């Protein structure tokens, strides 16, 4: 911050920023500990489920598949990224008709408000 900006910064603002920074550090540590790579062979299914305490993020590295999200089928293609919210029913599959494995990177983000 510039010297002029510092004169307007209160202790309350600094404390709020520090708590926010600590929360971000905690989230980054959590991501580093639960970021996973998954290989789904043709015909594999991660059966439908939900999470009451965390969001999930899926990134398609390679291959193709389907995500069933709250009853809606969504195509998954390389480069796609999906955010699954709290309590969303979701299922990920690589249809048996596919010839390639699907590689996913995914991680959960615990919701501190739950």
């Amino acid at each position: 911050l510039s010297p002029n900006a510092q004169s307007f910064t209160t202790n309350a603002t600094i404390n709020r920023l520090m708590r926010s920074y600590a929360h971000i550090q905690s989230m980054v540590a959590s991501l580093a500990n639960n970021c996973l790579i998954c290989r789904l062979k043709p015909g594999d299914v991660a059966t439908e489920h939900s999470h009451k305490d965390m969001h999930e993020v899926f990134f398609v590295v390679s291959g193709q598949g389907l995500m069933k999200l709250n009853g809606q089928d969504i195509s998954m293609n390389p480069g796609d990224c999906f955010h699954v919210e709290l309590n969303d029913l979701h299922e990920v599959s690589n249809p048996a008709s596919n010839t390639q494995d699907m590689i996913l990177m995914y991680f959960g983000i615990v919701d501190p408000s739950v």
Side-chain angles (χ1 to χ4, degrees):
L1 296 173
S2 71
N4 291 338
Q6 286 178 352
S7 64
F8 295 104
T9 304
T10 65
N11 284 339
T13 301
I14 291 171
N15 288 336
R16 187 173 61 251
L17 289 172
M18 291 306 289
R19 282 193 306 276
S20 183
Y21 177 71
H23 176 69
I24 291 169
Q25 280 184 313
S26 172
M27 283 178 52
V28 168
S30 174
L31 290 178
N33 289 327
N34 77 15
C35 186
L36 303 167
I37 302 291
C38 175
R39 177 186 304 267
L40 292 172
K41 296 182 180 295
D44 285 351
V45 178
T47 57
E48 189 173 60
H49 63 284
S50 65
H51 306 281
K52 65 180 181 176
D53 61 346
M54 75 173 186
H55 302 257
E56 270 187 308
V57 176
F58 294 85
F59 178 77
V60 183
V61 177
S62 65
Q64 296 178 323
L66 290 173
M67 174 176 281
K68 187 177 192 179
L69 184 60
N70 295 320
Q72 179 182 0
D73 288 335
I74 303 168
S75 295
M76 300 178 81
N77 297 293
D80 288 349
C81 188
F82 299 88
H83 170 227
V84 177
E85 296 189 27
L86 295 175
N87 300 309
D88 279 351
L89 286 173
H90 57 287
E91 175 178 284
V92 176
S93 64
N94 185 353
S97 59
N98 283 355
T99 58
Q100 293 183 356
D101 293 354
M102 180 172 61
I103 309 293
L104 296 173
M105 180 178 71
Y106 69 100
F107 56 88
I109 301 173
V110 175
D111 191 318
S113 67
V114 178

